[in-house]
Amino acid sequence: MRIFAGDRVKNLMDRMGMPDDEPIEHPWVTRSVENAQRKVEERNFDIRKNLLEYDDVMNAQRKTVYSLRQQLLEGRYTPEETDELGKPTGRTREIPINKAIRESVAPLVAQLFGMFSETPVTPRDDTGRARPPTRSEIDAITNLVELETLEREVYGLWGVKLDVPAAREKKPREVYAELEDLVAHGLSEQRERVLDLIDRVISAMVEESCPRNRPPEDWDWIGIHEGYKEHVKQSLGKDVDDLGELERVVRTVFERAEAAYIEKEKEIGIEHLLRLFRHFYLEEIDREWVDHLTNMEHLRDGIGLRGYGQRDPKNEYKREGYNLFLNMMANVSSNVLAKTFEFRPQRTEDIAAMEAEAEARHQQELEAAIARHPGEEDETAVDPAAALARMRESAQSVPARQSPSNGAPKVGRNDLCPCGSGKKFKKCHGAALEDEDDQPTV
C-alpha cells in the first residue's frame, strides 16, 4: 500500500492536536515533509525499476520475434555470422545471388515488367504464343505506369517489395535491372533461410539423440529415424546407423534432407515453395507467440514465490523465460519444416482421378441402396440399373396422395409397387411394412 507525504503530515498534525486550517511554518515540520516525500519517491522509483527489469525480458523477446516476422514479410534474410563454437559475431553474412534462380525468374520478370509499360510490351513467338521481352525491347520502354500495381504483383509472386518512390526517379531500364536483382536476391535469401532452418533442426535432433559422452552403440538411432521421418516425411535409411562419428551423422542426415528439399523444389517450383514456406512460418509464429505471451504471464504471476526459497525472482524469471522462448522458437522451426515437406500439390490428373473415384463410389452406394425384392432369388434378381430407372419412371406416373401426417406420397395396398417389379404393393414392399407394423412396441 502506498503512503503519500500528505498522509504522514495529516497523522502528525492529528497527534499534535493542530487544527486543519492553521498554517504550518515550523522548520521541523517542513523537514519532516521533505523526508517523507523523498522516501515515497525512492520507493516508487524502486517499484518502477523492478517492473522495468521484468519488462526488459519480454522486450528483448518481442524485438527478436518482430524482427524475424518483418524479414519474412519483406522476403529478406540477413543472418549473423557465427564462430566455431556457434556464437554470433555481430557481423552480417552476405548471401550471393543464386545463378540458377536468376535464370529461372528472369523471363517472368521481363514479361511482367513489359505489361506495365505505357505501351505494353507483350511480344509473341512464331507460333503466336506470348514470350518474354528481350533486353533491347526492355531498353526501348520510355515510361512506366501503375507502379503501385507492379509492386503488388511482384510481392504476390516473389514476396519482395519494390521501392516505388525511388523507381519513379529512375529510367525504365534501371528499374528493370533493379527489379531483376531484387527478385533473384530475395529468392536466394529465402532459399538460404530454408536450408539454414533444415540445418538447425537436423543438428538439434541428432545431437539430442547422440550424446557425446556415450558410445555410438548407445545412441538413440530409433529417435533419429523417427525424427527424420516426422520432419522430412521420408525414410532415412539404415546405413546411417553404421556411422560412428557425430559430425558424419549430422552431415549425412542434412545432405539427405537437403536433397529431399531440392526434389520438392523441382516438384512444386521454387517460387511456389518459398511462398508456402513464408506462409507456414508466419502462421506458426503468430500462433506460438500468442501462447508464449500467456505462458510468460503465468510465470510472472507466481515468480515472486521463489524469494521464499532464497532465490532472486528476477533472475529466475529471466532464466525460465529464456528457456520458454527457446522452446517456442524450436516448436516454430519444427512445425514449419514438417508442413513444408508435407505439402503435396494437386495435379490435374490427380484431381481427375479423385473425381472418377468419387463418381464410381457414388454409383456403388446408389446401387447398393436399391432394396432386393422379397421372395426373389439371386438368379432372378432385378438388375439394379434397370430397377433404378423403373423406380424413377413409376415415381412420375403414380399419383401422389399426400399423407395427413407428414405430407409424403402414399401408395394403396392394391396399387402397383413403385419399384417397378409389376407386383401389387401389398405383395411386394408393402408386405415388409406390414410386418414391421405388426411387431409389438417396446
Side-chain angles (χ1 to χ4, degrees):
M1 181 180 66
R2 293 187 178 182
I3 301 177
F4 297 96
D7 297 333
R8 293 179 178 269
V9 174
K10 182 67 168 57
N11 295 335
L12 179 61
M13 292 177 63
D14 293 340
R15 289 197 301 268
M16 296 177 63
M18 297 177 61
D20 295 340
D21 56 350
E22 184 173 347
I24 302 175
E25 298 178 353
H26 199 281
W28 288 1
V29 177
T30 302
R31 188 162 52 249
S32 177
V33 171
E34 291 177 353
N35 293 335
Q37 186 66 32
R38 184 177 62 255
K39 291 180 180 179
V40 170
E41 290 179 354
E42 289 176 355
R43 182 174 182 274
N44 293 340
F45 176 78
D46 291 338
I47 293 174
R48 290 193 297 269
K49 182 181 178 181
N50 186 58
L51 293 175
L52 183 61
E53 291 178 353
Y54 279 99
D55 291 339
D56 285 343
V57 177
M58 283 302 304
N59 189 41
Q61 298 179 3
R62 188 180 298 108
K63 286 182 179 180
T64 302
V65 172
Y66 286 7
S67 175
L68 172 60
R69 198 174 188 279
Q70 187 66 26
Q71 287 188 8
L72 287 170
L73 290 174
E74 294 177 355
R76 306 312 302 263
Y77 180 52
T78 55
E80 284 186 315
E81 291 184 351
T82 56
D83 55 14
E84 296 179 355
L85 300 178
K87 296 182 179 180
T89 60
R91 297 188 301 269
T92 302
R93 174 160 57 97
E94 294 293 334
I95 299 176
I97 297 178
N98 189 298
K99 295 182 179 180
I101 292 179
R102 179 190 285 274
E103 294 175 357
S104 64
V105 301
L108 185 56
V109 171
Q111 194 168 9
L112 178 65
F113 189 81
M115 296 172 59
F116 288 88
S117 172
E118 188 174 16
T119 302
V121 180
T122 55
R124 299 183 178 275
D125 55 15
D126 297 337
T127 61
R129 295 181 179 179
R131 63 169 177 81
T134 61
R135 177 67 67 171
S136 58
E137 292 172 339
I138 292 294
D139 293 340
I141 297 177
T142 57
N143 190 22
L144 295 174
V145 295
E146 299 182 2
L147 288 178
E148 290 80 5
T149 306
L150 176 61
E151 178 191 17
R152 291 194 297 269
E153 292 293 333
V154 170
Y155 184 78
L157 287 172
W158 299 292
V160 295
K161 295 197 67 176
L162 176 67
D163 190 356
V164 174
R168 296 185 187 278
E169 306 297 330
K170 299 178 181 179
K171 296 181 180 180
R173 61 173 177 269
E174 296 176 346
V175 177
Y176 170 74
E178 179 183 353
L179 180 60
E180 187 178 16
D181 289 341
L182 177 65
V183 172
H185 199 183
L187 292 180
S188 300
E189 290 181 346
Q190 295 173 37
R191 186 176 187 271
E192 189 69 18
R193 182 191 292 276
V194 180
L195 296 178
D196 286 350
L197 180 64
I198 295 175
D199 187 16
R200 291 199 303 269
V201 173
I202 294 299
S203 299
M205 180 187 67
V206 175
E207 290 177 0
E208 181 180 1
S209 301
C210 305
R212 295 182 181 270
N213 57 354
R214 292 185 181 180
E217 54 268 17
D218 293 338
W219 287 350
D220 185 12
W221 294 106
I222 297 178
I224 295 177
H225 287 273
E226 292 180 352
Y228 183 86
K229 190 171 185 179
E230 179 183 356
H231 290 95
V232 188
K233 309 304 177 183
Q234 292 182 3
S235 298
L236 180 59
K238 293 297 183 180
D239 57 326
V240 180
D241 300 354
D242 299 331
L243 303 176
E245 298 180 2
L246 179 61
E247 288 73 14
R248 292 183 61 190
V249 175
V250 173
R251 183 172 61 253
T252 302
V253 176
F254 171 75
E255 289 175 353
R256 296 188 181 182
E258 182 182 15
Y261 172 75
I262 294 175
E263 289 297 324
K264 179 72 67 174
E265 280 186 348
K266 295 178 181 179
E267 180 183 7
I268 301 178
I270 185 169
E271 300 95 338
H272 301 296
L273 185 58
L274 292 177
R275 189 185 309 154
L276 288 169
F277 174 78
R278 293 193 306 271
H279 172 73
F280 293 148
Y281 218 140
L282 291 171
E283 184 180 57
E284 288 297 322
I285 286 178
D286 294 343
R287 184 175 60 84
E288 292 288 342
W289 177 245
V290 172
D291 295 340
H292 179 70
L293 292 177
T294 304
N295 295 334
M296 292 294 291
E297 183 178 357
H298 293 166
L299 175 64
R300 184 168 177 174
D301 290 341
I303 202 66
L305 300 176
R306 305 292 177 89
Y308 293 103
Q310 303 301 318
R311 289 181 292 181
D312 188 2
K314 286 182 290 187
N315 292 336
E316 293 292 314
Y317 180 75
K318 293 178 181 179
R319 181 178 60 83
E320 296 198 14
Y322 180 71
N323 292 334
L324 287 175
F325 183 75
L326 290 182
N327 291 334
M328 182 204 70
M329 297 303 295
N331 291 335
V332 170
S333 301
S334 178
N335 295 337
V336 170
L337 194 61
K339 286 185 176 181
T340 303
F341 279 102
E342 186 178 13
F343 179 79
R344 292 289 184 273
Q346 290 187 349
R347 301 183 179 88
T348 304
E349 53 270 19
D350 296 337
I351 297 176
M354 292 172 59
E355 292 178 350
E357 182 181 357
E359 179 65 23
R361 185 172 60 253
H362 174 70
Q363 185 66 23
Q364 292 177 359
E365 294 175 354
L366 191 62
E367 293 175 354
I370 301 176
R372 189 176 300 278
H373 302 292
E376 291 182 345
E377 301 296 335
D378 291 342
E379 59 271 0
T380 59
V382 181
D383 179 58
L388 179 62
R390 289 197 299 269
M391 288 181 68
R392 291 175 178 172
E393 294 177 357
S394 60
Q396 299 176 358
S397 60
V398 175
R401 291 181 291 180
Q402 299 296 330
S403 173
S405 58
N406 54 11
K410 186 176 181 181
V411 182
R413 297 179 70 254
N414 295 323
D415 295 337
L416 293 178
C417 186
C419 69
S421 61
K423 300 180 180 179
K424 292 185 178 181
F425 181 71
K426 64 181 180 181
K427 297 294 185 181
C428 190
H429 285 80
L433 296 177
E434 291 178 357
D435 294 341
E436 292 179 359
D437 294 338
D438 294 338
Q439 293 180 359
T441 304
V442 180

PDB file of all heavy atoms in Angstrom, residues 40-50:
ATOM      1  N   VAL A  40       9.001   8.331  -0.132  1.00  0.00           N
ATOM      2  CA  VAL A  40       7.943   7.841  -1.015  1.00  0.00           C
ATOM      3  C   VAL A  40       8.415   7.787  -2.461  1.00  0.00           C
ATOM      4  O   VAL A  40       8.161   6.812  -3.192  1.00  0.00           O
ATOM      5  CB  VAL A  40       6.682   8.720  -0.869  1.00  0.00           C
ATOM      6  CG1 VAL A  40       5.655   8.374  -1.950  1.00  0.00           C
ATOM      7  CG2 VAL A  40       6.062   8.552   0.509  1.00  0.00           C
ATOM      8  N   GLU A  41       9.139   8.828  -2.895  1.00  0.00           N
ATOM      9  CA  GLU A  41       9.625   8.845  -4.282  1.00  0.00           C
ATOM     10  C   GLU A  41      10.668   7.755  -4.514  1.00  0.00           C
ATOM     11  O   GLU A  41      10.712   7.147  -5.588  1.00  0.00           O
ATOM     12  CB  GLU A  41      10.208  10.219  -4.595  1.00  0.00           C
ATOM     13  CG  GLU A  41       9.148  11.319  -4.683  1.00  0.00           C
ATOM     14  CD  GLU A  41       9.760  12.671  -4.963  1.00  0.00           C
ATOM     15  OE1 GLU A  41      11.010  12.771  -4.977  1.00  0.00           O
ATOM     16  OE2 GLU A  41       8.996  13.630  -5.142  1.00  0.00           O
ATOM     17  N   GLU A  42      11.527   7.508  -3.518  1.00  0.00           N
ATOM     18  CA  GLU A  42      12.503   6.431  -3.662  1.00  0.00           C
ATOM     19  C   GLU A  42      11.822   5.073  -3.760  1.00  0.00           C
ATOM     20  O   GLU A  42      12.230   4.216  -4.540  1.00  0.00           O
ATOM     21  CB  GLU A  42      13.461   6.463  -2.469  1.00  0.00           C
ATOM     22  CG  GLU A  42      14.424   7.644  -2.481  1.00  0.00           C
ATOM     23  CD  GLU A  42      15.279   7.673  -1.234  1.00  0.00           C
ATOM     24  OE1 GLU A  42      15.033   6.815  -0.341  1.00  0.00           O
ATOM     25  OE2 GLU A  42      16.181   8.523  -1.141  1.00  0.00           O
ATOM     26  N   ARG A  43      10.782   4.894  -2.983  1.00  0.00           N
ATOM     27  CA  ARG A  43      10.056   3.614  -3.034  1.00  0.00           C
ATOM     28  C   ARG A  43       9.365   3.431  -4.381  1.00  0.00           C
ATOM     29  O   ARG A  43       9.410   2.344  -4.975  1.00  0.00           O
ATOM     30  CB  ARG A  43       9.039   3.549  -1.908  1.00  0.00           C
ATOM     31  CG  ARG A  43       8.268   2.244  -1.826  1.00  0.00           C
ATOM     32  CD  ARG A  43       7.395   2.217  -0.593  1.00  0.00           C
ATOM     33  NE  ARG A  43       6.677   0.956  -0.477  1.00  0.00           N
ATOM     34  CZ  ARG A  43       5.518   0.707  -1.064  1.00  0.00           C
ATOM     35  NH1 ARG A  43       4.927   1.643  -1.789  1.00  0.00           N
ATOM     36  NH2 ARG A  43       4.929  -0.478  -0.910  1.00  0.00           N
ATOM     37  N   ASN A  44       8.745   4.484  -4.874  1.00  0.00           N
ATOM     38  CA  ASN A  44       8.091   4.389  -6.183  1.00  0.00           C
ATOM     39  C   ASN A  44       9.103   4.163  -7.298  1.00  0.00           C
ATOM     40  O   ASN A  44       8.830   3.450  -8.276  1.00  0.00           O
ATOM     41  CB  ASN A  44       7.289   5.658  -6.456  1.00  0.00           C
ATOM     42  CG  ASN A  44       6.099   5.810  -5.524  1.00  0.00           C
ATOM     43  OD1 ASN A  44       5.631   4.836  -4.925  1.00  0.00           O
ATOM     44  ND2 ASN A  44       5.616   7.039  -5.371  1.00  0.00           N
ATOM     45  N   PHE A  45      10.288   4.775  -7.160  1.00  0.00           N
ATOM     46  CA  PHE A  45      11.334   4.566  -8.163  1.00  0.00           C
ATOM     47  C   PHE A  45      11.779   3.102  -8.177  1.00  0.00           C
ATOM     48  O   PHE A  45      12.002   2.515  -9.243  1.00  0.00           O
ATOM     49  CB  PHE A  45      12.511   5.485  -7.867  1.00  0.00           C
ATOM     50  CG  PHE A  45      13.679   5.269  -8.781  1.00  0.00           C
ATOM     51  CD1 PHE A  45      13.675   5.777 -10.074  1.00  0.00           C
ATOM     52  CD2 PHE A  45      14.798   4.546  -8.353  1.00  0.00           C
ATOM     53  CE1 PHE A  45      14.760   5.565 -10.927  1.00  0.00           C
ATOM     54  CE2 PHE A  45      15.868   4.328  -9.204  1.00  0.00           C
ATOM     55  CZ  PHE A  45      15.847   4.847 -10.487  1.00  0.00           C
ATOM     56  N   ASP A  46      11.932   2.515  -6.993  1.00  0.00           N
ATOM     57  CA  ASP A  46      12.321   1.104  -6.921  1.00  0.00           C
ATOM     58  C   ASP A  46      11.258   0.210  -7.549  1.00  0.00           C
ATOM     59  O   ASP A  46      11.581  -0.786  -8.211  1.00  0.00           O
ATOM     60  CB  ASP A  46      12.557   0.699  -5.470  1.00  0.00           C
ATOM     61  CG  ASP A  46      13.796   1.365  -4.882  1.00  0.00           C
ATOM     62  OD1 ASP A  46      14.662   1.776  -5.667  1.00  0.00           O
ATOM     63  OD2 ASP A  46      13.860   1.484  -3.637  1.00  0.00           O
ATOM     64  N   ILE A  47       9.988   0.556  -7.349  1.00  0.00           N
ATOM     65  CA  ILE A  47       8.908  -0.234  -7.950  1.00  0.00           C
ATOM     66  C   ILE A  47       8.961  -0.153  -9.466  1.00  0.00           C
ATOM     67  O   ILE A  47       8.866  -1.166 -10.173  1.00  0.00           O
ATOM     68  CB  ILE A  47       7.539   0.241  -7.423  1.00  0.00           C
ATOM     69  CG1 ILE A  47       7.416  -0.071  -5.916  1.00  0.00           C
ATOM     70  CG2 ILE A  47       6.405  -0.416  -8.201  1.00  0.00           C
ATOM     71  CD1 ILE A  47       6.155   0.480  -5.285  1.00  0.00           C
ATOM     72  N   ARG A  48       9.136   1.052  -9.999  1.00  0.00           N
ATOM     73  CA  ARG A  48       9.203   1.218 -11.459  1.00  0.00           C
ATOM     74  C   ARG A  48      10.434   0.529 -12.035  1.00  0.00           C
ATOM     75  O   ARG A  48      10.397  -0.062 -13.109  1.00  0.00           O
ATOM     76  CB  ARG A  48       9.206   2.706 -11.815  1.00  0.00           C
ATOM     77  CG  ARG A  48       7.891   3.407 -11.562  1.00  0.00           C
ATOM     78  CD  ARG A  48       7.874   4.768 -12.229  1.00  0.00           C
ATOM     79  NE  ARG A  48       8.894   5.649 -11.671  1.00  0.00           N
ATOM     80  CZ  ARG A  48       8.706   6.476 -10.638  1.00  0.00           C
ATOM     81  NH1 ARG A  48       7.518   6.519 -10.040  1.00  0.00           N
ATOM     82  NH2 ARG A  48       9.677   7.246 -10.206  1.00  0.00           N
ATOM     83  N   LYS A  49      11.558   0.597 -11.317  1.00  0.00           N
ATOM     84  CA  LYS A  49      12.778  -0.056 -11.782  1.00  0.00           C
ATOM     85  C   LYS A  49      12.600  -1.569 -11.804  1.00  0.00           C
ATOM     86  O   LYS A  49      13.045  -2.254 -12.742  1.00  0.00           O
ATOM     87  CB  LYS A  49      13.937   0.333 -10.868  1.00  0.00           C
ATOM     88  CG  LYS A  49      15.267  -0.263 -11.296  1.00  0.00           C
ATOM     89  CD  LYS A  49      16.375   0.146 -10.346  1.00  0.00           C
ATOM     90  CE  LYS A  49      17.694  -0.500 -10.764  1.00  0.00           C
ATOM     91  NZ  LYS A  49      18.801  -0.123  -9.835  1.00  0.00           N
ATOM     92  N   ASN A  50      11.945  -2.089 -10.778  1.00  0.00           N
ATOM     93  CA  ASN A  50      11.711  -3.533 -10.725  1.00  0.00           C
ATOM     94  C   ASN A  50      10.805  -3.986 -11.864  1.00  0.00           C
ATOM     95  O   ASN A  50      11.063  -5.013 -12.518  1.00  0.00           O
ATOM     96  CB  ASN A  50      11.093  -3.890  -9.378  1.00  0.00           C
ATOM     97  CG  ASN A  50      10.959  -5.388  -9.196  1.00  0.00           C
ATOM     98  OD1 ASN A  50      11.937  -6.133  -9.248  1.00  0.00           O
ATOM     99  ND2 ASN A  50       9.735  -5.849  -8.977  1.00  0.00           N
TER     100      ASN A  50
END
